[in-house]
Amino acid sequence: MSSRSGRRRGLVVLVVIAVALAGSAAATGAIGSLQQPSGDDVLDRVEQRYESAESITSTATLTVENDSESATASVEVAAASDNRSRTILTRDGETYRAGSNGTVVWAVGPNESAAWPVEAFTDADRDAFAGPVPDGVMPGERSKHLSPQGTPTVNASNATATLVGTPSVDGTDTYEVELTHPEVDGTASLWVAQDDYRVVRAVATDGTNRTVVDVESTAFNVSIHDSTFDPPTDRLALSTIDRYDDFAAAQSDTDLTLPQLDETFEGATVTVRQGETIVGQRYVTDDGNVSVVSTTVTDRFDRLTENASTTTVDGRTVAVTTVENRSVAAWTEDGVTTAVVVEGATDRAVEIAGRLST
């Protein structure tokens, strides 16, 4: 990540999907004293405001609601140059922290924690360290749906920004900008302070859920102590990640007996965290990509398979489930959970599970 993206992280976290929709927009033309800026003008000035800051701190309230329920969390963000950041989210009495001091990336939750070197942290590694995968995303596929900051990825150049009003938000005169994108269902809106182009509110809807971010305070170019970005070392053990282009090399790096598929091997990662091992293999077949995950983390697939059907494959009881257009076949044997993740129907996941050899 560049220092530019590091400085922008505070904005990305706080406005969530809205900024992912917006991206960067080029301002065109001079703004006369009586002429309102366009939506693109406003977004361009917001980007400049946040990117030019050497440090940012911000607090916000995040609310996600639909017709039947609502959840609220408080968020605190600190970001500085050299790719340093820290985010604290508190929800239902539980606190989640994540950050980087530029050397180590770390995350701490009520029941899980992890740390790993920055140079080892790539999109392909997110699944090894994150908690339950988002709804509709299979293990091994998360990085295709998330940006480096963990927000949904879209082609930002296709976004349309429209200035729809200049309302007052809690006594602050704002520009209200509506954002739409052909790759994203729903809309998002930003309320931007007219005096300094800081984001004061963001709302995103996807047809089912409505996400509201009310920014309570934002400070630019403030002094932030270096220790703010350091991991709580008393709770974290540094994780290791190794990548392999050859199956035999991956197998030699772990005590697990890895299953193998007689298809094109694309690569594997072997991750060790706090004594637990996660091995992810990737294969390419004529019918689409296949991920094979082997792990000693016994609850890795619990949420995905808790309502799954079962079948028998080679004498093993296999849990089978589908999320959107991907299917999982998972089983546990001798303390190791194996999961096959495929594109398509459950029959294919079961068929691939039956073809694995050890």
Side-chain angles (χ1 to χ4, degrees):
M1 298 180 193
S2 67
S3 58
R4 170 174 171 159
S5 65
R7 291 194 296 270
R8 200 164 65 181
R9 185 170 301 150
L11 172 62
V12 174
V13 172
L14 286 177
V15 302
V16 197
I17 300 173
V19 169
L21 283 169
S24 60
T28 57
I31 305 299
S33 59
L34 298 179
Q35 182 181 1
Q36 295 285 2
S38 68
D40 282 349
D41 293 332
V42 173
L43 291 182
D44 182 65
R45 296 174 192 181
V46 169
E47 184 182 54
Q48 292 175 11
R49 183 72 176 97
Y50 283 82
E51 287 186 352
S52 64
E54 289 299 318
S55 65
I56 301 170
T57 62
S58 195
T59 62
T61 298
L62 171 67
T63 303
V64 181
E65 57 190 5
N66 54 38
D67 292 340
S68 60
E69 57 185 346
S70 175
T72 300
S74 62
V75 180
E76 300 177 29
V77 173
S81 57
D82 300 323
N83 296 320
R84 295 175 297 161
S85 66
R86 184 198 66 186
T87 300
I88 302 175
L89 185 146
T90 302
R91 178 185 67 191
D92 296 333
E94 296 183 333
T95 299
Y96 303 81
R97 295 177 174 86
S100 174
N101 60 7
T103 302
V104 173
V105 179
W106 55 272
V108 176
N111 302 311
E112 289 187 285
S113 61
W116 53 98
V118 168
E119 62 268 19
F121 186 62
T122 68
D123 285 347
D125 301 320
R126 294 185 183 281
D127 295 319
F129 294 104
V133 295
D135 291 339
V137 180
M138 290 289 96
E141 301 292 332
R142 181 196 303 264
S143 60
K144 296 181 181 179
H145 301 264
L146 299 179
S147 72
Q149 289 77 26
T151 55
T153 57
V154 294
N155 182 356
S157 63
N158 294 334
T160 300
T162 305
L163 180 68
V164 296
T166 56
S168 176
V169 177
D170 295 330
T172 299
D173 292 332
T174 70
Y175 296 116
E176 181 182 352
V177 179
E178 183 178 88
L179 311 170
T180 58
H181 196 288
E183 299 175 27
V184 178
D185 293 332
T187 62
S189 296
L190 291 177
W191 285 259
V192 177
Q194 294 183 18
D195 58 351
D196 63 359
Y197 290 93
R198 72 188 188 281
V199 176
V200 299
R201 195 167 193 258
V203 176
T205 61
D206 61 7
T208 301
N209 296 314
R210 182 173 184 264
T211 301
V212 180
V213 181
D214 286 308
V215 182
E216 296 154 3
S217 67
T218 300
F220 299 93
N221 300 317
V222 294
S223 177
I224 305 176
H225 197 277
D226 289 343
S227 62
T228 301
F229 308 110
D230 289 336
T233 54
D234 60 327
R235 290 193 58 187
L236 297 181
L238 194 64
S239 300
T240 62
I241 304 172
D242 294 296
R243 298 176 184 80
Y244 301 94
D245 296 326
D246 178 75
F247 175 85
Q251 176 62 86
S252 67
D253 191 40
T254 178
D255 293 333
L256 302 185
T257 300
L258 300 180
Q260 188 173 14
L261 184 63
D262 186 19
E263 295 284 358
T264 302
F265 181 82
E266 283 289 293
T269 58
V270 178
T271 302
V272 178
R273 185 188 73 180
Q274 295 178 323
E276 301 287 359
T277 300
I278 304 171
V279 181
Q281 303 180 57
R282 298 178 299 280
Y283 294 89
V284 175
T285 75
D286 291 339
D287 295 322
N289 297 330
V290 174
S291 295
V292 180
V293 180
S294 304
T295 178
T296 60
V297 183
T298 56
D299 61 351
R300 179 76 177 159
F301 296 95
D302 282 358
R303 188 178 69 85
L304 284 173
T305 59
E306 59 186 4
N307 296 316
S309 61
T310 60
T311 189
T312 301
V313 178
D314 293 338
R316 299 184 297 258
T317 299
V318 177
V320 183
T321 189
T322 299
V323 180
E324 292 191 350
N325 64 334
R326 294 178 176 85
S327 298
V328 177
W331 64 94
T332 300
E333 195 171 49
D334 297 329
V336 177
T337 298
T338 302
V340 173
V341 184
V342 303
E343 300 167 345
T346 56
D347 288 348
R348 181 165 180 256
V350 172
E351 184 263 334
I352 294 291
R355 290 172 51 195
L356 293 177
S357 62
T358 55

